[in-house]
Amino acid sequence: MSTTSQNPAAPSVLVISAHSGDFVWRAGGAIALTAHHGSPVHVLCLSYGERGESRGLWKQEGMTVERVKQARHEEAAKAAEVLGATIEFLDLGDYPLRVEPEVVDRIAGIIRERKPDVLLTHVANDPYNRDHNQAHETTLTARMIAQAHGADPSTPALGAPQVLQFEPHQPEVCGFYPELLLDITPVFDRKVEAMKCMTAQEHLVRYYIDLGMRRGVQAVRNGAPSSVQYAEAYKRTFPTVGAQLW
C-alpha cells in the first residue's frame, strides 16, 4: 500500500497484539487511517496464535504447529502490508501466552526505538482469553520501563504516549465501554481487504464488518457527521490533557 509522505502532525502508532490476527480485526481501521495520513505504524505480534486462534488451519489434514505458524506469519504480513504498516513477530506461544522479563525489556527497547505517540493494545481483563490480559499488562510494564531514565541511559527515555485499548470480541463482559469512536469510513475497504487475508479465522470477517457498521451508527448519534458509516471503538488508559473543555 502506498501512503503519503510522513506527516509530522499525525501521530505515530505502535500496536502490541497478543496474536497475529488481533490487530487486523480490532485496529485495522486505525492502522490504515494513520498510514493514510502519512505517519508510521508498526505492529508487534507477541505470538502467532497457533494453538488457539487458528481453527481454520487445524481443520486441514496433516497440519502441524510449524505449518500453522508459517501460514499465520504470511497472513498477518500480507494484512499489515494492505493496511500500510510494518510488522514483526516475537513467537512467544499462545494459550497461554507467557512473557518472560527479558522479553519485556526487549519490548521496552522497541518502544523507545519507535517513540510512538500512541500505543494500541488489548483490554485489561478479558475473561475469555487471558492472553489478551497478558498483552495489556506487558504493554503497560514495557511502557513504564521505557519511561525510566535509568533503564537504558544510552537511549532517550520515552514520554507519555496514550495507551488506547481496542474493542474486545465480547465487550459486555470485559468492562469495555467506548471513549473514542474513530471514523474509519475512508479506509474501511482497506480493513475489509486485510481481514480477508486472515483465512485461519475467516469466520470473523462478517462479524467485524457488522461491528464497524454498528459503531458507525453510534458515532453519528454522538455528533459525527452523517457521512460516517464505519467506526472502531477505543477506551483510554490514561487521562487526556487539554487547555479547554471542548
Side-chain angles (χ1 to χ4, degrees):
M1 172 182 174
S2 61
T3 62
T4 59
S5 59
Q6 184 171 338
N7 178 5
S12 61
V13 174
L14 176 62
V15 186
I16 298 182
S17 182
H19 312 107
S20 61
D22 295 330
F23 75 94
V24 183
W25 313 117
R26 295 169 172 84
I31 293 168
L33 193 66
T34 302
H36 176 73
H37 289 310
S39 279
V41 185
H42 188 66
V43 178
L44 181 63
C45 294
L46 302 184
S47 82
Y48 289 111
E50 65 272 10
R51 285 156 53 102
E53 305 270 301
S54 306
R55 78 179 195 184
L57 293 171
W58 283 111
K59 289 179 179 180
Q60 299 176 23
E61 186 176 353
M63 187 55 66
T64 66
V65 168
E66 289 308 313
R67 285 177 58 196
V68 171
K69 285 184 180 182
Q70 182 61 34
R72 295 281 287 182
H73 183 110
E74 292 172 359
E75 289 180 359
K78 178 60 177 175
E81 180 183 7
V82 167
L83 296 172
T86 55
I87 191 168
E88 65 182 295
F89 305 88
L90 296 188
D91 192 13
L92 302 179
D94 69 317
Y95 284 57
L97 170 66
R98 296 186 176 95
V99 186
E100 300 299 331
E102 60 271 17
V103 178
V104 178
D105 289 339
R106 179 181 172 187
I107 295 170
I110 292 170
I111 293 174
R112 276 200 172 189
E113 177 187 356
R114 294 281 171 179
K115 298 179 178 62
D117 297 297
V118 179
L119 285 154
L120 303 183
T121 196
H122 297 265
V123 294
N125 183 28
D126 184 342
Y128 292 100
N129 194 319
R130 311 307 282 179
D131 286 1
H132 297 166
N133 304 8
Q134 180 67 71
H136 176 92
E137 182 60 29
T138 296
T139 299
L140 294 190
T141 302
R143 178 186 183 272
M144 177 188 73
I145 295 169
Q147 289 179 305
H149 289 270
D152 180 6
S154 68
T155 60
L158 185 72
Q162 180 62 269
V163 178
L164 292 177
Q165 302 166 44
F166 39 63
E167 183 167 6
H169 193 66
Q170 305 215 35
E172 300 86 353
V173 295
C174 296
F176 179 91
Y177 51 88
E179 293 183 326
L180 169 64
L181 292 169
L182 181 69
D183 175 17
I184 59 170
T185 307
V187 295
F188 194 70
D189 59 336
R190 289 284 183 181
K191 179 170 182 175
V192 173
E193 183 182 351
M195 290 194 296
K196 289 180 178 179
C197 296
M198 311 305 293
T199 61
Q201 295 175 288
E202 61 186 358
H203 61 288
L204 293 177
V205 174
R206 184 72 256 172
Y207 176 91
Y208 280 98
I209 290 175
D210 292 344
L211 178 61
M213 293 175 64
R214 292 198 302 275
R215 291 306 190 191
V217 170
Q218 288 181 322
V220 172
R221 290 190 60 138
N222 281 275
S226 59
S227 59
V228 174
Q229 294 180 285
Y230 302 98
E232 285 176 344
Y234 293 88
K235 181 180 178 181
R236 295 182 178 91
T237 303
F238 302 103
T240 55
V241 179
Q244 57 188 25
L245 286 175
W246 57 90

